[in-house]
Amino acid sequence: MASKLSKSIAIIAGAGPGTGASIARRFAKAYPVVLLARSPSSLDPLVQGINQAGGSAIGIPADVTNVGVMDSTMKQIESQFGANLTVAAAVFNVAGKFSRSPFLDSGSEFLSDLESTARGATNFSKAVLPFLLRATESSESSYPPTLVFTGATASLKGGSGLGSFAMSKFAIRALAQSLAREFGPKGVHVAHAIIDGIIATEQTKGYNEDKPDAKIDPDWIAEAYWFLHTQPRSSFTHEIDIRPYCETW
Amino acid sequence: MASKLSKSIAIIAGAGPGTGASIARRFAKAYPVVLLARSPSSLDPLVQGINQAGGSAIGIPADVTNVGVMDSTMKQIESQFGANLTVAAAVFNVAGKFSRSPFLDSGSEFLSDLESTARGATNFSKAVLPFLLRATESSESSYPPTLVFTGATASLKGGSGLGSFAMSKFAIRALAQSLAREFGPKGVHVAHAIIDGIIATEQTKGYNEDKPDAKIDPDWIAEAYWFLHTQPRSSFTHEIDIRPYCETW
Amino acid sequence: MASKLSKSIAIIAGAGPGTGASIARRFAKAYPVVLLARSPSSLDPLVQGINQAGGSAIGIPADVTNVGVMDSTMKQIESQFGANLTVAAAVFNVAGKFSRSPFLDSGSEFLSDLESTARGATNFSKAVLPFLLRATESSESSYPPTLVFTGATASLKGGSGLGSFAMSKFAIRALAQSLAREFGPKGVHVAHAIIDGIIATEQTKGYNEDKPDAKIDPDWIAEAYWFLHTQPRSSFTHEIDIRPYCETW
Amino acid sequence: MASKLSKSIAIIAGAGPGTGASIARRFAKAYPVVLLARSPSSLDPLVQGINQAGGSAIGIPADVTNVGVMDSTMKQIESQFGANLTVAAAVFNVAGKFSRSPFLDSGSEFLSDLESTARGATNFSKAVLPFLLRATESSESSYPPTLVFTGATASLKGGSGLGSFAMSKFAIRALAQSLAREFGPKGVHVAHAIIDGIIATEQTKGYNEDKPDAKIDPDWIAEAYWFLHTQPRSSFTHEIDIRPYCETW
């Protein structure tokens, strides 16, 4: 880590195993990374791995759906990195629950999933944007400060029995567009990625295993986010889709 | 009102003045209408007007964002129209709050607006769908039972400072698509209307008043909803946009 | 036909059997209709049927892909209806060829299909728009003059092996949008309909015949176009989709 | 240039100054590049520059709208690089004419612009796809063979007076989607880039010159295309947008 970047960090919300871990490792090649996830158990091995590989990571168990929690989290981060901290990149990768069920059979979880995702995305954005804005004024930044949201197939299309998931993903896309139009002109790069397919993780191991490359490589989601981060403000990408070559769409 | 239709009703949520009132009056030409709105004051003159004109309307002050309220509302409607009641048409016309403000200046209303709209649309859909499904089996139905959601420009595009409104409108569009794909094959017509422009109401009177026809006529929103309702199941429209001829889009 | 409308006509290009015939019959309830199709054989029975039913129709065999042909067609129409003729409604319903074939196996027809559809839509629009504009100034018009284009599933999505068809349908949608934005402010209603499913015609009789209402009713495409035509300029719909309740989308 | 890649080349159509030149220089860092443009004058300095910088470029003046020309061009390329040549990357960057004019004032150029662009994109795709497919079987390929089309704002939206341009851009997008769905499963990466803003070139020098970074950097369009090329087949991006931070959209 070059010392001139020492006060510029990356924050990843939803830094569990899978995509979140890949994003964390990728951004840790350039910045100290702060990793947020609900459960400490998924954070610890990731933080350890990054630190052992020569990066710098801290993990903070945090429920981003709670405004108070994001406030205290940012204070904790400031106490760690100094009050003049800037955020070079922030990634909202909290997945939301994907569960297909008949609409009339769904209970209160239908709305609580939507509300927690929308609330999480909003709270996270409110917490990191002041530090992203500060980075636009910093001469230390190599790249424009970047805020990326992870979307899904359901960001574009509501499916039968998928109302709750689609509502949350549509809402996050709306937030990403609104923030891009408000903060883009101020120099913050806001982007939205549509992950359209199964991601290759421990949980999806059994799926499509006889077909090589049929699942999205989380390291390449991370590479795409990193590429977005490197774009100069003259040439921002707002939306990108990622899917396996054999996906029907 | 022909007696053979007497147990088939239309329910309009968000039946305040403006679009809601126009929709209520249009559907009252064919069905008894049940009008829901938060404040009794906006319901009373509308109910009176419809009844005086030979239609049949009842108004129920109801906060659709509250699950319990929708349950008791439906019970009240059943006690009025009989237990074998069917719903021919249901319209979710609750507007949500349109207020442009810098994202970082917004407070808790940012999320509460979104959550109440999403919750309202979900609660309303859960309450009316069983009665819409029942109507698909009824030999009395002239037209497929229909559920219409009112959207806006912000259903398709998140604007600067409009994150909360866009999130709620995107989410409702996601719900409409999901319900269309789940309940369409069962014979329920689910549709979504993008109202892209200023609607001519008392409140917007001063706006663009020197330019004739520059504001959307709420009676023609109602006509469009009625047209959607008359479509046979072989020929459903899911999405329609409505805007003044002079609107830039 | 009321005499006060006698100089205001409807023109339908692609007035063959199926959708074109339904549109012709629907608009013939209000206007004298001029029907264009490549082959006289498909025009004759339709024209005869409309005239026998008390309407007024003439058929002109015309290849709209040829600029010269549209010029002489409009002259022929003027000589029939008088030089101060106005066009109340014009419908471009020329289907284009739907044929799925591997891209690398396709020959010169790949481009000729696209080019003839794009050329046809352009020539037709250029020929009718002056008469539609004239209708905006006429006190005789009950409804804003209307230009409708028939689209398809492929208007929104390019499919494997369907490049030629999708290119032509995307191009027509682009034309419809451009004309709506140019001529809408002048009072001409330009609309685009996405027909997303199999249309019930003689040719599709064998398809899905055991499933009632699984094919789009061409009379209801016509009703939708007629509804679009009746919208006042305060409340124009630009795009509408139509599909059977059981269609997967 | 590593000799093991010597038979794998990149082909850029529309390799004039500006974006085409940037793409050429970027891909020349990894492959011998073949540059096609209508006029030799724009090719010569670019070819010279690449060769002097240690790359390998040849320029072929070619009108891609002509099927015969693409056939002879590919033969010429084969004679240069050997019959077992593969194409690692092909870019269709032919711009089409952007000219805003009232629809009814437009002449035959309206259609000829559309037709030449659509024809060019089709001919180019037919010529290069067999060589891209061959590359999927080659053990020499580091990256999946890639076909990229350059789009514009008008790929998504038809503007007033921009019908011809929008029709051609919509059509190219349809082609890109169709080819992605047909050739993606075969391992060819087909992508479409929406360039939404003014590109910084010699011609646009005077535009917005007092606002830094207000124009898209063509070198960063090239970087985006290169990034797309490097994606493994598990993680293809089909569509990407690029615009300046201050662009209104």
Side-chain angles (χ1 to χ4, degrees):
Chain A
M1 202 65 43
S3 70
K4 82 176 179 70
L5 286 172
S6 59
K7 280 167 276 158
S8 205
I9 66 164
I11 304 181
I12 291 104
T19 312
S22 291
I23 297 168
R25 284 190 290 262
R26 183 62 189 83
F27 282 80
K29 292 185 189 173
Y31 304 107
V33 291
V34 175
L35 311 181
L36 312 181
R38 220 165 284 181
S39 76
S41 64
S42 67
L43 283 174
D44 292 347
L46 178 59
V47 166
Q48 222 176 342
I50 289 172
N51 288 329
Q52 280 171 357
S56 162
I58 60 170
I60 303 178
D63 178 357
V64 295
T65 66
N66 189 317
V67 181
V69 166
M70 270 316 295
D71 284 350
S72 65
T73 299
M74 292 313 295
K75 288 221 168 59
Q76 201 176 330
I77 295 172
E78 279 185 285
S79 74
Q80 179 92 11
F81 293 96
N84 57 350
L85 162 83
T86 61
V87 171
V91 178
F92 185 76
N93 186 56
V94 177
K97 266 198 195 129
F98 176 92
S99 62
R100 196 184 286 269
S101 69
F103 180 66
L104 292 174
D105 294 353
S106 66
S108 60
E109 82 288 353
F110 187 92
L111 281 163
S112 60
D113 285 352
L114 159 66
E115 289 173 6
S116 68
T117 314
R119 222 181 302 136
T122 303
N123 289 341
F124 181 74
S125 300
K126 282 198 184 175
V128 298
L129 270 163
F131 297 90
L132 290 160
L133 284 170
R134 196 189 282 170
T136 64
E137 290 154 16
S138 160
S139 59
E140 291 178 15
S141 308
S142 308
Y143 306 121
T146 306
L147 172 58
V148 187
F149 295 88
T150 299
T153 316
S155 302
L156 295 179
K157 188 175 168 175
S160 173
L162 290 172
S164 174
F165 188 63
M167 286 174 90
S168 72
K169 288 300 186 187
F170 270 59
I172 285 178
R173 188 165 179 252
L175 180 64
Q177 285 185 14
S178 299
L179 296 180
R181 291 189 170 100
E182 181 173 353
F183 294 95
K186 295 174 179 173
V188 178
H189 184 180
V190 182
H192 182 251
I194 294 162
I195 311 302
D196 183 20
I198 305 291
I199 302 170
T201 61
E202 268 303 303
Q203 295 109 292
T204 64
K205 222 174 184 176
Y207 174 84
N208 240 347
E209 58 185 327
D210 50 337
K211 185 151 195 178
D213 303 329
K215 285 173 286 190
I216 300 170
D217 182 346
D219 285 349
W220 274 93
I221 297 176
E223 284 302 326
Y225 288 16
W226 178 257
F227 174 72
L228 295 173
H229 179 51
T230 65
Q231 291 179 315
R233 65 179 182 166
S234 67
S235 310
F236 281 167
T237 289
H238 176 63
E239 194 158 76
I240 195 173
D241 54 8
I242 301 179
R243 70 177 59 79
Y245 72 110
C246 53
E247 188 77 13
T248 301
W249 53 291
Chain B
M1 204 65 43
S3 70
K4 80 173 182 68
L5 287 171
S6 61
K7 279 168 278 157
S8 203
I9 65 163
I11 305 182
I12 291 103
T19 312
S22 291
I23 298 168
R25 282 189 291 261
R26 182 63 189 84
F27 282 78
K29 292 185 189 175
Y31 305 108
V33 291
V34 175
L35 311 181
L36 313 181
R38 220 166 283 181
S39 75
S41 63
S42 67
L43 283 174
D44 292 346
L46 179 57
V47 165
Q48 221 176 341
I50 289 173
N51 287 330
Q52 280 170 356
S56 162
I58 60 170
I60 303 177
D63 177 358
V64 296
T65 66
N66 188 316
V67 181
V69 166
M70 269 315 294
D71 285 350
S72 65
T73 299
M74 292 312 295
K75 288 218 170 62
Q76 200 176 331
I77 295 172
E78 278 185 286
S79 74
Q80 179 92 10
F81 292 96
N84 57 350
L85 163 82
T86 60
V87 171
V91 177
F92 185 77
N93 186 55
V94 177
K97 267 200 192 125
F98 176 91
S99 62
R100 194 183 288 270
S101 69
F103 181 65
L104 292 174
D105 293 354
S106 66
S108 60
E109 81 289 352
F110 187 93
L111 281 163
S112 60
D113 286 351
L114 159 67
E115 288 173 7
S116 67
T117 315
R119 224 181 300 136
T122 303
N123 290 341
F124 181 74
S125 301
K126 283 198 182 174
V128 297
L129 271 163
F131 296 90
L132 290 161
L133 284 170
R134 195 189 284 171
T136 64
E137 291 154 15
S138 160
S139 59
E140 291 178 14
S141 308
S142 307
Y143 306 121
T146 306
L147 172 57
V148 187
F149 296 88
T150 300
T153 315
S155 302
L156 296 178
K157 187 174 168 175
S160 173
L162 289 171
S164 174
F165 188 63
M167 287 174 90
S168 72
K169 288 300 184 187
F170 271 58
I172 285 179
R173 189 166 179 250
L175 179 65
Q177 286 186 13
S178 299
L179 296 180
R181 291 188 169 100
E182 181 173 353
F183 293 95
K186 296 174 178 171
V188 178
H189 185 179
V190 182
H192 182 252
I194 295 162
I195 311 302
D196 182 22
I198 305 291
I199 302 171
T201 61
E202 269 302 305
Q203 294 110 291
T204 63
K205 221 172 184 178
Y207 175 84
N208 238 347
E209 57 185 328
D210 49 337
K211 187 154 194 179
D213 304 328
K215 287 174 284 191
I216 300 171
D217 182 347
D219 285 348
W220 274 93
I221 297 177
E223 284 301 326
Y225 288 16
W226 178 257
F227 174 72
L228 294 173
H229 179 50
T230 65
Q231 290 180 317
R233 65 179 183 167
S234 66
S235 310
F236 280 167
T237 288
H238 175 64
E239 195 158 77
I240 196 174
D241 53 8
I242 301 179
R243 71 176 59 77
Y245 73 109
C246 52
E247 188 78 15
T248 301
W249 54 291
Chain C
M1 203 61 47
S3 71
K4 82 174 180 70
L5 286 172
S6 61
K7 280 167 276 158
S8 205
I9 64 164
I11 305 182
I12 291 104
T19 311
S22 290
I23 297 168
R25 281 189 292 261
R26 183 63 190 85
F27 282 79
K29 291 184 188 173
Y31 305 107
V33 290
V34 174
L35 311 181
L36 313 181
R38 220 166 283 180
S39 75
S41 64
S42 67
L43 283 174
D44 292 347
L46 178 59
V47 166
Q48 221 175 343
I50 289 173
N51 287 330
Q52 280 170 357
S56 162
I58 60 170
I60 303 178
D63 178 358
V64 295
T65 66
N66 188 316
V67 181
V69 165
M70 271 315 294
D71 285 351
S72 64
T73 298
M74 292 313 294
K75 288 219 169 62
Q76 200 176 331
I77 295 173
E78 280 186 284
S79 74
Q80 180 91 10
F81 293 95
N84 56 349
L85 162 82
T86 62
V87 171
V91 178
F92 185 77
N93 185 55
V94 177
K97 266 196 194 131
F98 176 91
S99 63
R100 196 183 286 269
S101 69
F103 180 66
L104 293 175
D105 293 354
S106 66
S108 60
E109 82 289 354
F110 186 93
L111 282 163
S112 59
D113 286 351
L114 159 66
E115 289 173 7
S116 67
T117 314
R119 224 181 300 135
T122 303
N123 290 342
F124 181 74
S125 301
K126 284 199 183 174
V128 297
L129 270 163
F131 297 91
L132 290 161
L133 284 171
R134 196 190 282 170
T136 64
E137 290 154 16
S138 162
S139 58
E140 291 178 14
S141 307
S142 307
Y143 305 122
T146 306
L147 172 58
V148 188
F149 295 88
T150 299
T153 316
S155 302
L156 295 179
K157 188 175 168 176
S160 174
L162 289 172
S164 173
F165 188 63
M167 287 173 90
S168 72
K169 288 299 186 187
F170 270 58
I172 285 177
R173 190 167 179 251
L175 179 64
Q177 285 186 13
S178 299
L179 296 181
R181 291 188 170 100
E182 181 173 354
F183 293 95
K186 295 174 179 171
V188 178
H189 185 179
V190 182
H192 182 251
I194 294 163
I195 311 302
D196 183 21
I198 304 291
I199 301 170
T201 60
E202 268 303 304
Q203 294 109 291
T204 64
K205 223 173 184 175
Y207 175 85
N208 239 347
E209 56 185 328
D210 50 337
K211 186 152 194 179
D213 304 327
K215 286 173 285 190
I216 300 170
D217 182 345
D219 285 349
W220 274 93
I221 298 177
E223 284 301 328
Y225 287 17
W226 178 257
F227 175 72
L228 295 174
H229 178 51
T230 66
Q231 291 179 315
R233 65 179 183 167
S234 66
S235 310
F236 280 167
T237 290
H238 176 64
E239 195 158 77
I240 196 174
D241 53 8
I242 300 179
R243 70 176 60 78
Y245 72 110
C246 53
E247 188 77 15
T248 303
W249 52 291
Chain D
M1 202 64 44
S3 70
K4 81 173 179 73
L5 285 172
S6 62
K7 278 168 278 157
S8 205
I9 66 164
I11 305 183
I12 291 104
T19 312
S22 291
I23 297 167
R25 282 189 291 261
R26 183 61 190 84
F27 282 79
K29 292 185 188 174
Y31 304 108
V33 291
V34 174
L35 311 181
L36 313 180
R38 219 166 284 180
S39 76
S41 64
S42 67
L43 284 174
D44 291 347
L46 178 58
V47 166
Q48 221 176 341
I50 289 172
N51 288 329
Q52 279 169 359
S56 162
I58 60 170
I60 303 178
D63 177 358
V64 295
T65 66
N66 188 317
V67 182
V69 166
M70 270 316 294
D71 285 350
S72 65
T73 298
M74 292 312 296
K75 288 220 169 63
Q76 200 177 332
I77 294 172
E78 279 185 284
S79 75
Q80 180 92 9
F81 293 96
N84 55 353
L85 163 81
T86 61
V87 170
V91 178
F92 185 76
N93 185 56
V94 177
K97 267 200 192 124
F98 175 91
S99 63
R100 195 184 286 270
S101 68
F103 180 65
L104 292 175
D105 293 354
S106 66
S108 59
E109 81 289 353
F110 187 93
L111 282 163
S112 59
D113 285 350
L114 159 66
E115 289 173 7
S116 67
T117 315
R119 224 181 300 136
T122 303
N123 290 341
F124 181 73
S125 300
K126 283 199 182 174
V128 298
L129 270 163
F131 297 90
L132 290 161
L133 284 171
R134 196 189 281 169
T136 65
E137 291 154 16
S138 161
S139 59
E140 291 178 14
S141 307
S142 309
Y143 306 122
T146 306
L147 172 58
V148 187
F149 295 87
T150 300
T153 315
S155 301
L156 296 178
K157 188 174 170 176
S160 174
L162 289 172
S164 174
F165 188 62
M167 287 174 90
S168 71
K169 287 301 184 186
F170 270 58
I172 284 178
R173 189 165 179 252
L175 180 65
Q177 286 187 12
S178 299
L179 296 180
R181 291 188 169 100
E182 180 173 353
F183 293 95
K186 296 175 179 171
V188 178
H189 185 178
V190 181
H192 182 251
I194 294 163
I195 310 303
D196 183 21
I198 305 290
I199 302 170
T201 61
E202 269 303 303
Q203 293 110 292
T204 64
K205 221 173 185 178
Y207 175 84
N208 240 347
E209 59 185 327
D210 50 337
K211 187 153 195 179
D213 304 327
K215 285 173 284 188
I216 300 170
D217 182 346
D219 285 349
W220 274 92
I221 298 176
E223 284 302 327
Y225 288 16
W226 179 256
F227 174 71
L228 295 173
H229 179 51
T230 65
Q231 290 180 315
R233 65 179 183 167
S234 67
S235 310
F236 280 167
T237 290
H238 175 64
E239 195 157 79
I240 196 174
D241 54 8
I242 301 178
R243 71 175 59 77
Y245 73 110
C246 53
E247 188 78 13
T248 302
W249 54 291

